[in-house]
Amino acid sequence: ARLATGGGTAAVAPPPSVAVDLSKPDWTECVLEGRSAGTTAHSFETWLFRTDLSKGFEKFLKHRHFDPSVGDSLSCRDRQPDTSIECLECARVVFGGVYGSIGVVVPAFPIEKQAGGCLSRSRMLEVDFDDDDNFDGNPTQEIAMCNSHRGKFEDVLA
């Protein structure tokens, strides 16, 4: 695809796919639960990410203002890679370089519905920021995560 920019065009391409080894348990699945402020409603989300890239998920939690002191909880387990898992959302945490240590969370583009394809979007970016004073000295990384389930429920008293 091409994108018009101030007087010219620039090529825009999605990150290259990386083969995902489905023979070893290198995925982590985490369930986030939280209470909606001032209500009895609970919300939950299930996120998958590559186990060796868990630092991206830790940064994602900071963006989500995850806080156990207000009733948020997190439960994680190892998960075998599974080609049948679909993503409701494929997101990437981009950090390092001009994005700083916490970075930004962005949706994957183009949209990726399969977990294996989503998680293959993680990569190290080779970026030259010689003329930028905001560069933090760390390499710029993109860490992909797949949201496979989400929902909300009300407390029920027995």
Side-chain angles (χ1 to χ4, degrees):
R2 293 216 171 267
L3 177 69
T5 59
T9 59
V12 178
S17 293
V18 175
V20 176
D21 183 359
L22 300 175
S23 65
K24 58 183 181 177
D26 64 350
W27 289 4
T28 298
E29 179 180 67
C30 292
V31 177
L32 296 170
E33 290 186 51
R35 287 187 178 262
S36 300
T39 72
T40 59
H42 285 244
S43 61
F44 70 91
E45 296 178 314
T46 302
W47 287 90
L48 293 162
F49 55 91
R50 287 183 29 201
T51 302
D52 61 334
L53 300 173
S54 63
K55 66 182 169 183
F57 188 69
E58 293 167 9
K59 293 173 187 307
F60 172 75
L61 291 175
K62 290 179 182 179
H63 279 280
R64 298 295 299 273
H65 304 289
F66 176 78
D67 186 357
S69 71
V70 298
D72 294 342
S73 67
L74 176 66
S75 174
C76 298
R77 68 181 182 136
D78 288 338
R79 171 86 190 222
Q80 287 283 357
D82 183 345
T83 58
S84 70
I85 297 174
E86 292 188 7
C87 301
L88 298 173
E89 174 185 4
C90 180
R92 294 173 297 138
V93 178
V94 184
F95 62 95
V98 296
Y99 297 102
S101 64
I102 301 300
V104 297
V105 178
V106 297
F109 180 82
I111 294 171
E112 178 59 62
K113 292 292 186 184
Q114 295 303 121
C118 174
L119 300 186
S120 73
R121 302 263 179 113
S122 297
R123 64 183 177 157
M124 186 81 64
L125 298 176
E126 294 182 27
V127 189
D128 181 13
F129 293 110
D130 289 340
D131 60 345
D132 193 330
D133 293 335
N134 294 320
F135 183 67
D136 78 351
N138 293 311
T140 303
Q141 298 180 61
E142 293 181 356
I143 308 253
M145 298 167 298
C146 169
N147 176 217
S148 62
H149 298 88
R150 72 173 71 119
K152 189 176 273 193
F153 56 91
E154 296 287 330
D155 281 343
V156 178
L157 299 175

